Amino acid sequence: GESIAAARLLAAGFVVLTPSTPESYDMVATRGDQYHRIQVKCTRKTKPYRPGLPRYQFTIARRRPSYTKSDTDYVLLVALDIERCWLIPVEKITTPTVAINTASPSKWDAYSEAWHLLD
């Protein structure tokens, strides 16, 4: 997941930095004087939800509260089987999991491949 995320950020013209110590983010995307801390979450494939409505489910937090703006700026969700990414500002995520159904409109659609949010 992190490799796909880094490749997409590089393709969008960003330099990608990874911390050498444990941090609450996985990478930093930078271009010019802008720095964005990014936490990456991935899932391998869809999970059954309702008949005909599989969805990608991303676990954002397990044992700790969800991430906040003091932890990271964005959460980058990666669906590994289709190599699709959603770049979501951390303050938009208010639940411990994010479920995305790609077969129907979703509130997360605006964040699909939304690299422009980093400009």
Side-chain angles (χ1 to χ4, degrees):
E2 289 180 23
S3 296
I4 292 170
R8 293 292 177 80
L9 288 163
L10 289 167
F14 290 90
V15 173
V16 178
L17 310 170
T18 55
S20 57
T21 59
E23 300 292 343
S24 57
Y25 51 89
D26 294 314
M27 59 187 60
V28 174
T30 180
R31 181 166 52 197
D33 61 351
Q34 296 181 334
Y35 291 82
H36 306 283
R37 299 169 300 160
I38 299 173
Q39 174 60 252
V40 179
K41 299 293 181 181
C42 63
T43 189
R44 293 194 182 282
K45 59 184 179 175
T46 58
K47 297 182 181 354
Y49 175 54
R50 291 185 207 158
L53 291 176
R55 65 185 186 179
Y56 290 98
Q57 187 166 317
F58 300 90
T59 301
I60 307 302
R62 284 198 173 109
R63 294 189 181 127
R64 60 179 295 237
S66 291
Y67 292 96
T68 66
K69 190 73 173 157
S70 65
D71 299 313
T72 189
D73 301 311
Y74 294 89
V75 176
L76 180 55
L77 308 177
V78 181
L80 296 173
D81 61 339
I82 60 173
E83 294 188 15
R84 186 168 169 190
C85 300
W86 293 265
L87 181 69
I88 305 172
V90 69
E91 63 270 12
K92 300 290 184 184
I93 299 175
T94 59
T95 58
T97 61
V98 171
I100 300 175
N101 176 354
T102 58
S104 63
S106 163
K107 70 178 184 177
W108 304 114
D109 289 349
Y111 302 105
S112 178
E113 309 294 340
W115 311 115
H116 66 277
L117 295 177
L118 301 175
D119 290 329

